[in-house]
Structure formats: structure tokens, C-alpha cells
Amino acid sequence: MTARPWVRDVRVLDRPHRVVVVGGGITGVHIARELAGRGVSVLLVEQSDLGSGASSAAVLPGGWQDVARADIRVAAELARERRTLLLAAPHLVRSRRVVVPTWDEDGPGRAAVGTRLVLGEALSATTSRRGPARSGRLSWLSARSARSAAPWLRTDGLTGAVAVDDTISEHPARLVLAVARSAVDLGADVLTHASLTRVVTEPGPVTDTVCAVEITDRLSGAAYVTAADVVVNAAGSSVRDALGDLGPRSGLAVRRARSVHVLTHAVGGRDTVITRTRSGEPVAVSPWRGMSVVASGDVLEDLPSTADVDRVLDAAADVMRHPVTADEVIGTVAVERPTLEDRIDGTYRSADRVRLDWHDGSHITGVLTVTGGTWTSARASGATVADALLRATRIHPARRFDSRVEPLHAALAEADRSRLATDLLATGVVDGPTADHLTRLYGSDAAAVADLVRADPRLGRRLSSDPARGDIAAQAVFAVTHEAAQTVDDVALRRLSGG
């Protein structure tokens, strides 16, 4: 079975595009997909590789800090979007129960938290006009059941918990790739390892108007100028730097917020637990690839990073019976996102929902900066940006597109995935565990990966002696021939499961 190859081609810079999207994280690729789906000529450029920033570190449910606060609005959006995600990429997304403990210091406690989450689930069903209407299951847990779900929780003051179904991607970088491949399938051009170095504008009586951009190929050093009408800046924590020489004129006042996820030996339990310390700081503990991920709230980038692990462990100690020690830490994953200055009070905040800035005060027309949103709600953010852009410009969509009901590239429902794994096993080209591994990572494209092994059996060898990592050599070849990988890190960190 053949899969359509996708290779990096700088010749895409020789043709004009109505929109250039800067940033190949989860938000940027969704924006590109939404615009391409509407028939708009769009180019996405990423200075490194797709999902190389915070998107590849999304090992906790999107918006988890808002779940800790039981925010009704965010709960509604996350409930709606997780159903869409389960339909769009079922081979990459798994259900994961989230347990939100309640404590006697919470006041009304379980009833208040549960009521807010129930209202969020109900609101998501009433506002979802397309797609599945079934809400995720929500249940009440006694204190005893909460301790059973998370045996590491402290018992003093624990009054119970609320449990709700959620989704999690164990391979977030591959989900970013699937969205990007979907954008390419719809006609988008995507170029990695390329930076926007200059925005070319035409002077006007009041404002300058974007007419082209200069893109520098970071692999060759060559610079290209390509015509464009709108630049969408979706570069995450690098939004100010991503505008090239236009950055100082953009008026963006940005500081990075940093969250460190600490990887430890498994502390027990199969559920993701999201709670708060007695001082109100959010804490999350979740199983991940045989380990546990422990995280707490964001801090601004100008605070010392040397104390990040201690800060996370201190917060977690407030909710654990037996705190995790520094000796039990296996590694860390740093996640950054931008916080923008509030022009009223001068404080810096990260936004739970997507925020659009047309830079009205900078006398530039045609530049849109996008910040905020969560991993789980990135599809909705992309649709919001695309709709707002088309309303504000003279760009007219060529067709209708509703991403809520469109599957991602190579998507396979569980029954179809299991059937394909059985078929691959029957060919004798790969064994059962490898067939299961490939179909979970690649969906229907798994057949094309297996074809590489059929053509050269040496590509069927395992890349790691770790039985938990089933990657084979054919995947590395496929990454280059079909997934635009350019460097060793592109392959090892963001195409294979071991990244």
C-alpha cells in the first residue's frame, strides 16, 4: 500500500501565498489546516521542526490548570474538543480518566467542583452543533474510592473526588505531524527549518501594508522573498522574535511563562490526578510511559530555573502521603508559553482561550499575532483564527470546511486499526507487537511502513532493546521519505515513539 510522500521543498517559496503562518506548533498547524480547508493559499514556516517547542511536551491533558480551578467555561470547551479529537485521530488519542480530589478546606468541596464540571460538560453538549453529542462520563468518588484511584494522595482532609473522562496523546509530536499532513493534503505548503527574517510592506498614508515576506532557509542559508497578504504569527513563546525585523514595531510586550514537568518513578494509579495545594497552587500527577509526570503552576521566565524541580516537588508534597524525593527524579520536560502584557494594569497573563492581536497601534496592516489556548482546544483556536482572518481581510474562502467532522491524515478507528494490525501480521513481514505499534503511531500509513520492510527485511530490526519502545528501522526511513524529516533530532525526537 502506498502513502503519499511529503518531502521538504524550498521551491514552495517561488509562488505567492495569501497567508503565511509562522510557527509549526499545535496552534500553527491547525490554523494552516483550517485555511487550506477553506481553499486559501497558505504557507506555514517553522524555524526548527514541527512540534519542536512546547507542543511536543504536552504530556498532560490540555487546560489542566483550569480543570484544577474547575473553570466552567474551559471545562465546556475541553469536553467539546476532546470528543472531536477522539473522532479525528482515534489511533493517536486515548481516553484517560481525570480525578479531581476535593478537600475539606475547599468549602462546599465536592459538590462545588462537581457542579462546575457537570455544567461544563452540559454546556459543551448544548453548544456542539455538529459531531457527537454524548458528553464524557462524570462520576462522584468517595474518599475511599479516591484513595484507591490515587493511593499516594494524602488522607487528611480528603473528602472525595470528581472523576471525568478526558483524552491524552502519548505521542503529541506525531499528533502535530498528523495535523500538518492534513493541511498538506488540503493544499497547504509547509516548510520546516525556515525562518521569517523580514516582513516587506508597502507604505500608505496611514499604515504600512504587508505585501511579501523574506524567508531564510536555515539549512542552506539562502533567503527568498515570497508574496503574501497576511502574516499570522503563531510562534508560541517566540512570538515577538518570529516577526523578524518587524518585532520591535509590533508593540508586543511578551514574557515567557515556564512550567517544568518532572518525570519520576511511577507513584501508582492509572488516572491523571489534578488538584490544588492548600495555598491554591495547581498540581498534576499522571502516569506516562511507565513513569509518572508531576507538574505545578507556571512561573515567569525571569525567575531562576535552578529551583524549578524543587518548586514542583514541594507543591506535590502538599498533596502526597509520601513525597517524591530528588533522588527519584528521572528527568524533566520544560514547557514554555507566552504571556502578554495587560495594557490596563501592566501585568502579564497567559490566556486560556485564543487571543488575537492585529497590532492596531503599530501602523501595520496584515499582521495577526495569535497567543493563548490549550493543547486540547487547538482545533477550535485554529478555526477561530481562520474565521476572524477571513472576516477582517479581502480574502474569500473557495469552499466550506468544518474540521469538527473531518478526520486527520491516516486516521483509523479502533476496529479498523485492529483489523489492519491483523492483516500486517498475516503477511509475515512484521510480528504482532510491531504491527500494533505501527498502526497506533501511523494509522493507515502503517501499511506503507511495513512495505519498506517487505522490500528490505533489514529495516524490520528494532532500534532499541527496551521492550516498551517498538520502533523499527523502517520508521526512520519513512520519516525522511514521507514525513519531511531533515535532521537526526527530527527523526529521533518527533517521528519515533522514543522521543
Side-chain angles (χ1 to χ4, degrees), residues 110-156:
R110 186 172 55 158
V113 173
T115 299
R116 290 175 183 174
L117 294 178
V118 167
L119 287 173
E121 293 279 344
L123 181 60
S124 76
T126 60
T127 57
S128 181
R129 295 172 296 174
R130 300 284 298 275
R134 181 183 179 275
S135 179
R137 293 181 302 168
L138 189 146
S139 56
W140 308 90
L141 302 182
S142 65
R144 181 177 181 180
S145 296
R147 288 193 296 270
S148 177
W152 48 265
L153 272 175
R154 65 175 170 91
T155 56
D156 58 304

Short mmCIF file of all heavy atoms in Angstrom, two decimals, residues 110-156:
data_model
loop_
_atom_site.label_atom_id
_atom_site.label_comp_id
_atom_site.label_asym_id
_atom_site.label_seq_id
_atom_site.Cartn_x
_atom_site.Cartn_y
_atom_site.Cartn_z
N ARG A 110 -16.72 18.86 47.23
CA ARG A 110 -17.03 18.01 46.09
C ARG A 110 -18.24 18.53 45.32
O ARG A 110 -18.26 18.51 44.10
CB ARG A 110 -17.28 16.59 46.59
CG ARG A 110 -17.49 15.60 45.49
CD ARG A 110 -17.53 14.19 46.02
NE ARG A 110 -18.54 14.03 47.07
CZ ARG A 110 -19.06 12.85 47.39
NH1 ARG A 110 -18.67 11.77 46.77
NH2 ARG A 110 -19.96 12.76 48.34
N ALA A 111 -19.24 19.00 46.02
CA ALA A 111 -20.44 19.48 45.33
C ALA A 111 -20.13 20.66 44.43
O ALA A 111 -20.59 20.73 43.29
CB ALA A 111 -21.51 19.87 46.36
N ALA A 112 -19.31 21.59 44.91
CA ALA A 112 -18.99 22.77 44.10
C ALA A 112 -18.16 22.39 42.88
O ALA A 112 -18.45 22.81 41.76
CB ALA A 112 -18.24 23.79 44.96
N VAL A 113 -17.11 21.58 43.09
CA VAL A 113 -16.27 21.17 41.96
C VAL A 113 -17.08 20.37 40.97
O VAL A 113 -17.04 20.61 39.76
CB VAL A 113 -15.06 20.36 42.47
CG1 VAL A 113 -14.27 19.78 41.29
CG2 VAL A 113 -14.16 21.22 43.33
N GLY A 114 -17.83 19.40 41.48
CA GLY A 114 -18.63 18.56 40.58
C GLY A 114 -19.66 19.34 39.81
O GLY A 114 -19.86 19.11 38.61
N THR A 115 -20.34 20.27 40.47
CA THR A 115 -21.35 21.07 39.79
C THR A 115 -20.75 21.86 38.65
O THR A 115 -21.29 21.94 37.56
CB THR A 115 -22.04 22.02 40.79
OG1 THR A 115 -22.67 21.25 41.81
CG2 THR A 115 -23.07 22.88 40.09
N ARG A 116 -19.57 22.46 38.87
CA ARG A 116 -18.94 23.24 37.82
C ARG A 116 -18.55 22.36 36.64
O ARG A 116 -18.75 22.74 35.48
CB ARG A 116 -17.70 23.95 38.39
CG ARG A 116 -18.05 25.06 39.37
CD ARG A 116 -16.80 25.64 39.98
NE ARG A 116 -17.12 26.67 40.96
CZ ARG A 116 -16.21 27.26 41.73
NH1 ARG A 116 -14.93 26.93 41.61
NH2 ARG A 116 -16.57 28.18 42.58
N LEU A 117 -17.99 21.19 36.92
CA LEU A 117 -17.59 20.31 35.83
C LEU A 117 -18.80 19.74 35.09
O LEU A 117 -18.79 19.59 33.88
CB LEU A 117 -16.70 19.18 36.36
CG LEU A 117 -15.34 19.63 36.91
CD1 LEU A 117 -14.57 18.43 37.44
CD2 LEU A 117 -14.53 20.34 35.83
N VAL A 118 -19.86 19.41 35.83
CA VAL A 118 -21.09 18.93 35.19
C VAL A 118 -21.66 20.01 34.29
O VAL A 118 -22.07 19.75 33.15
CB VAL A 118 -22.13 18.50 36.25
CG1 VAL A 118 -23.49 18.32 35.61
CG2 VAL A 118 -21.69 17.21 36.92
N LEU A 119 -21.70 21.26 34.77
CA LEU A 119 -22.20 22.35 33.95
C LEU A 119 -21.34 22.53 32.70
O LEU A 119 -21.86 22.80 31.61
CB LEU A 119 -22.22 23.64 34.76
CG LEU A 119 -23.32 23.75 35.82
CD1 LEU A 119 -23.12 25.01 36.66
CD2 LEU A 119 -24.70 23.76 35.17
N GLY A 120 -20.05 22.37 32.86
CA GLY A 120 -19.17 22.47 31.70
C GLY A 120 -19.48 21.39 30.67
O GLY A 120 -19.56 21.65 29.47
N GLU A 121 -19.66 20.14 31.15
CA GLU A 121 -19.99 19.05 30.24
C GLU A 121 -21.34 19.31 29.56
O GLU A 121 -21.50 19.11 28.35
CB GLU A 121 -20.06 17.73 31.02
CG GLU A 121 -18.73 17.26 31.56
CD GLU A 121 -17.89 16.56 30.51
OE1 GLU A 121 -18.45 16.19 29.47
OE2 GLU A 121 -16.68 16.38 30.73
N ALA A 122 -22.33 19.75 30.33
CA ALA A 122 -23.64 20.01 29.75
C ALA A 122 -23.60 21.15 28.75
O ALA A 122 -24.22 21.07 27.68
CB ALA A 122 -24.65 20.32 30.87
N LEU A 123 -22.85 22.20 29.07
CA LEU A 123 -22.75 23.34 28.17
C LEU A 123 -22.08 22.92 26.86
O LEU A 123 -22.46 23.38 25.79
CB LEU A 123 -21.94 24.46 28.83
CG LEU A 123 -21.74 25.74 28.02
CD1 LEU A 123 -23.09 26.37 27.69
CD2 LEU A 123 -20.87 26.72 28.79
N SER A 124 -21.10 22.03 26.94
CA SER A 124 -20.42 21.58 25.72
C SER A 124 -21.38 20.86 24.80
O SER A 124 -21.30 20.95 23.58
CB SER A 124 -19.24 20.67 26.07
OG SER A 124 -19.69 19.38 26.44
N ALA A 125 -22.31 20.09 25.36
CA ALA A 125 -23.26 19.36 24.54
C ALA A 125 -24.25 20.30 23.87
O ALA A 125 -24.62 20.13 22.71
CB ALA A 125 -24.01 18.33 25.39
N THR A 126 -24.67 21.35 24.59
CA THR A 126 -25.66 22.26 24.02
C THR A 126 -25.06 23.19 22.98
O THR A 126 -25.77 23.71 22.12
CB THR A 126 -26.31 23.11 25.13
OG1 THR A 126 -25.30 23.87 25.79
CG2 THR A 126 -27.02 22.23 26.14
N THR A 127 -23.75 23.40 23.05
CA THR A 127 -23.12 24.32 22.09
C THR A 127 -22.46 23.59 20.93
O THR A 127 -21.90 24.21 20.05
CB THR A 127 -22.07 25.19 22.78
OG1 THR A 127 -21.10 24.35 23.42
CG2 THR A 127 -22.71 26.09 23.82
N SER A 128 -22.50 22.24 20.93
CA SER A 128 -21.90 21.48 19.85
C SER A 128 -22.97 21.20 18.80
O SER A 128 -23.83 20.36 18.97
CB SER A 128 -21.33 20.15 20.39
OG SER A 128 -20.73 19.42 19.36
N ARG A 129 -22.91 21.92 17.68
CA ARG A 129 -23.93 21.79 16.65
C ARG A 129 -23.65 20.64 15.71
O ARG A 129 -24.55 20.14 15.06
CB ARG A 129 -24.02 23.09 15.84
CG ARG A 129 -24.50 24.29 16.64
CD ARG A 129 -24.37 25.57 15.84
NE ARG A 129 -22.97 25.83 15.56
CZ ARG A 129 -22.55 26.83 14.78
NH1 ARG A 129 -23.42 27.62 14.21
NH2 ARG A 129 -21.26 27.03 14.58
N ARG A 130 -22.40 20.22 15.60
CA ARG A 130 -22.04 19.13 14.74
C ARG A 130 -21.23 18.13 15.54
O ARG A 130 -20.66 18.42 16.57
CB ARG A 130 -21.19 19.63 13.56
CG ARG A 130 -21.87 20.65 12.68
CD ARG A 130 -22.90 20.00 11.77
NE ARG A 130 -22.28 19.04 10.86
CZ ARG A 130 -21.72 19.37 9.69
NH1 ARG A 130 -21.67 20.63 9.31
NH2 ARG A 130 -21.20 18.44 8.91
N GLY A 131 -21.18 16.89 15.06
CA GLY A 131 -20.37 15.89 15.73
C GLY A 131 -21.13 15.22 16.85
O GLY A 131 -22.33 15.41 17.03
N PRO A 132 -20.45 14.37 17.65
CA PRO A 132 -21.10 13.58 18.68
C PRO A 132 -21.63 14.45 19.81
O PRO A 132 -20.98 15.37 20.25
CB PRO A 132 -19.99 12.65 19.17
CG PRO A 132 -18.74 13.41 18.91
CD PRO A 132 -19.00 14.19 17.64
N ALA A 133 -22.82 14.15 20.28
CA ALA A 133 -23.42 14.94 21.34
C ALA A 133 -23.18 14.33 22.71
O ALA A 133 -23.43 14.95 23.72
CB ALA A 133 -24.93 15.08 21.12
N ARG A 134 -22.67 13.08 22.74
CA ARG A 134 -22.50 12.41 24.02
C ARG A 134 -21.41 13.08 24.82
O ARG A 134 -20.30 13.31 24.36
CB ARG A 134 -22.13 10.93 23.80
CG ARG A 134 -21.95 10.17 25.10
CD ARG A 134 -21.52 8.74 24.80
NE ARG A 134 -21.33 8.00 26.03
CZ ARG A 134 -20.22 7.99 26.74
NH1 ARG A 134 -19.21 8.74 26.35
NH2 ARG A 134 -20.10 7.28 27.84
N SER A 135 -21.72 13.39 26.06
CA SER A 135 -20.74 14.01 26.93
C SER A 135 -19.87 12.94 27.58
O SER A 135 -20.25 11.78 27.70
CB SER A 135 -21.46 14.82 28.01
OG SER A 135 -20.54 15.41 28.88
N GLY A 136 -18.67 13.34 28.00
CA GLY A 136 -17.82 12.42 28.72
C GLY A 136 -18.45 12.04 30.04
O GLY A 136 -19.18 12.81 30.66
N ARG A 137 -18.15 10.83 30.50
CA ARG A 137 -18.74 10.36 31.75
C ARG A 137 -18.14 11.11 32.93
O ARG A 137 -16.94 11.32 33.00
CB ARG A 137 -18.51 8.86 31.91
CG ARG A 137 -19.27 8.03 30.88
CD ARG A 137 -19.01 6.56 31.12
NE ARG A 137 -17.60 6.26 31.05
CZ ARG A 137 -17.06 5.10 31.45
NH1 ARG A 137 -17.82 4.18 31.98
NH2 ARG A 137 -15.75 4.90 31.34
N LEU A 138 -18.98 11.47 33.86
CA LEU A 138 -18.55 12.13 35.08
C LEU A 138 -19.13 11.38 36.26
O LEU A 138 -20.31 11.01 36.25
CB LEU A 138 -18.99 13.59 35.08
CG LEU A 138 -18.42 14.46 36.21
CD1 LEU A 138 -18.20 15.88 35.72
CD2 LEU A 138 -19.38 14.49 37.41
N SER A 139 -18.32 11.09 37.27
CA SER A 139 -18.79 10.33 38.42
C SER A 139 -18.24 10.93 39.70
O SER A 139 -17.25 11.66 39.70
CB SER A 139 -18.36 8.86 38.31
OG SER A 139 -16.95 8.74 38.17
N TRP A 140 -18.95 10.62 40.78
CA TRP A 140 -18.53 11.08 42.11
C TRP A 140 -17.79 9.95 42.81
O TRP A 140 -18.22 8.80 42.75
CB TRP A 140 -19.75 11.47 42.94
CG TRP A 140 -20.68 12.41 42.28
CD1 TRP A 140 -21.74 12.12 41.49
CD2 TRP A 140 -20.64 13.83 42.36
NE1 TRP A 140 -22.37 13.25 41.06
CE2 TRP A 140 -21.70 14.34 41.59
CE3 TRP A 140 -19.80 14.74 43.01
CZ2 TRP A 140 -21.95 15.69 41.44
CZ3 TRP A 140 -20.05 16.09 42.87
CH2 TRP A 140 -21.12 16.55 42.10
N LEU A 141 -16.71 10.25 43.47
CA LEU A 141 -15.95 9.25 44.20
C LEU A 141 -15.95 9.60 45.68
O LEU A 141 -15.78 10.76 46.06
CB LEU A 141 -14.51 9.19 43.70
CG LEU A 141 -14.27 8.87 42.22
CD1 LEU A 141 -12.76 8.82 41.94
CD2 LEU A 141 -14.94 7.57 41.81
N SER A 142 -16.10 8.57 46.50
CA SER A 142 -15.95 8.77 47.94
C SER A 142 -14.47 8.96 48.25
O SER A 142 -13.59 8.74 47.41
CB SER A 142 -16.49 7.55 48.69
OG SER A 142 -15.69 6.41 48.38
N ALA A 143 -14.18 9.34 49.49
CA ALA A 143 -12.79 9.50 49.90
C ALA A 143 -12.04 8.17 49.76
O ALA A 143 -10.88 8.14 49.33
CB ALA A 143 -12.71 10.02 51.33
N ARG A 144 -12.71 7.09 50.09
CA ARG A 144 -12.08 5.77 49.98
C ARG A 144 -11.78 5.44 48.52
O ARG A 144 -10.69 4.94 48.20
CB ARG A 144 -13.00 4.71 50.59
CG ARG A 144 -12.43 3.31 50.55
CD ARG A 144 -13.36 2.33 51.24
NE ARG A 144 -12.81 0.98 51.22
CZ ARG A 144 -13.41 -0.07 51.76
NH1 ARG A 144 -14.58 0.09 52.40
NH2 ARG A 144 -12.86 -1.27 51.70
N SER A 145 -12.72 5.71 47.62
CA SER A 145 -12.50 5.44 46.20
C SER A 145 -11.42 6.34 45.63
O SER A 145 -10.65 5.93 44.76
CB SER A 145 -13.81 5.63 45.43
OG SER A 145 -14.78 4.69 45.83
N ALA A 146 -11.36 7.58 46.11
CA ALA A 146 -10.31 8.49 45.65
C ALA A 146 -8.94 7.97 46.05
O ALA A 146 -7.99 8.02 45.26
CB ALA A 146 -10.55 9.89 46.22
N ARG A 147 -8.82 7.45 47.27
CA ARG A 147 -7.54 6.88 47.71
C ARG A 147 -7.19 5.64 46.91
O ARG A 147 -6.01 5.38 46.64
CB ARG A 147 -7.59 6.56 49.20
CG ARG A 147 -7.58 7.79 50.11
CD ARG A 147 -7.32 7.40 51.55
NE ARG A 147 -8.39 6.57 52.09
CZ ARG A 147 -9.46 7.03 52.71
NH1 ARG A 147 -9.60 8.35 52.86
NH2 ARG A 147 -10.38 6.22 53.18
N SER A 148 -8.20 4.87 46.52
CA SER A 148 -7.96 3.69 45.70
C SER A 148 -7.45 4.09 44.31
O SER A 148 -6.57 3.44 43.75
CB SER A 148 -9.24 2.87 45.58
OG SER A 148 -9.05 1.75 44.74
N ALA A 149 -8.03 5.16 43.76
CA ALA A 149 -7.60 5.62 42.43
C ALA A 149 -6.21 6.22 42.48
O ALA A 149 -5.43 6.08 41.52
CB ALA A 149 -8.59 6.66 41.90
N ALA A 150 -5.87 6.89 43.58
CA ALA A 150 -4.56 7.53 43.73
C ALA A 150 -4.04 7.22 45.13
O ALA A 150 -4.19 8.03 46.05
CB ALA A 150 -4.67 9.04 43.51
N PRO A 151 -3.44 6.05 45.31
CA PRO A 151 -3.02 5.64 46.66
C PRO A 151 -1.97 6.54 47.29
O PRO A 151 -1.74 6.46 48.50
CB PRO A 151 -2.47 4.22 46.42
CG PRO A 151 -2.17 4.14 44.96
CD PRO A 151 -3.16 5.02 44.29
N TRP A 152 -1.37 7.41 46.51
CA TRP A 152 -0.35 8.30 47.03
C TRP A 152 -0.92 9.59 47.62
O TRP A 152 -0.19 10.38 48.22
CB TRP A 152 0.64 8.66 45.91
CG TRP A 152 -0.04 9.08 44.63
CD1 TRP A 152 -0.33 8.29 43.57
CD2 TRP A 152 -0.52 10.39 44.32
NE1 TRP A 152 -0.97 9.01 42.58
CE2 TRP A 152 -1.10 10.31 43.02
CE3 TRP A 152 -0.52 11.61 44.97
CZ2 TRP A 152 -1.67 11.41 42.39
CZ3 TRP A 152 -1.09 12.70 44.35
CH2 TRP A 152 -1.67 12.60 43.07
N LEU A 153 -2.25 9.84 47.45
CA LEU A 153 -2.85 11.07 47.96
C LEU A 153 -2.80 11.12 49.48
O LEU A 153 -2.99 10.11 50.16
CB LEU A 153 -4.32 11.15 47.52
CG LEU A 153 -4.65 11.79 46.18
CD1 LEU A 153 -6.14 11.64 45.89
CD2 LEU A 153 -4.24 13.25 46.14
N ARG A 154 -2.58 12.31 50.03
CA ARG A 154 -2.66 12.46 51.49
C ARG A 154 -4.10 12.23 51.91
O ARG A 154 -5.06 12.56 51.18
CB ARG A 154 -2.19 13.84 51.92
CG ARG A 154 -3.02 15.03 51.45
CD ARG A 154 -2.48 16.32 52.09
NE ARG A 154 -3.08 17.51 51.51
CZ ARG A 154 -4.17 18.12 51.96
NH1 ARG A 154 -4.82 17.61 52.99
NH2 ARG A 154 -4.63 19.22 51.37
N THR A 155 -4.29 11.65 53.07
CA THR A 155 -5.63 11.29 53.53
C THR A 155 -6.26 12.36 54.40
O THR A 155 -7.49 12.44 54.48
CB THR A 155 -5.57 9.97 54.30
OG1 THR A 155 -4.64 10.10 55.39
CG2 THR A 155 -5.12 8.83 53.39
N ASP A 156 -5.44 13.17 55.07
CA ASP A 156 -6.02 14.16 55.96
C ASP A 156 -6.72 15.27 55.16
O ASP A 156 -6.12 15.89 54.29
CB ASP A 156 -4.95 14.77 56.87
CG ASP A 156 -3.82 15.42 56.10
OD1 ASP A 156 -3.20 14.72 55.27
OD2 ASP A 156 -3.57 16.63 56.32
#
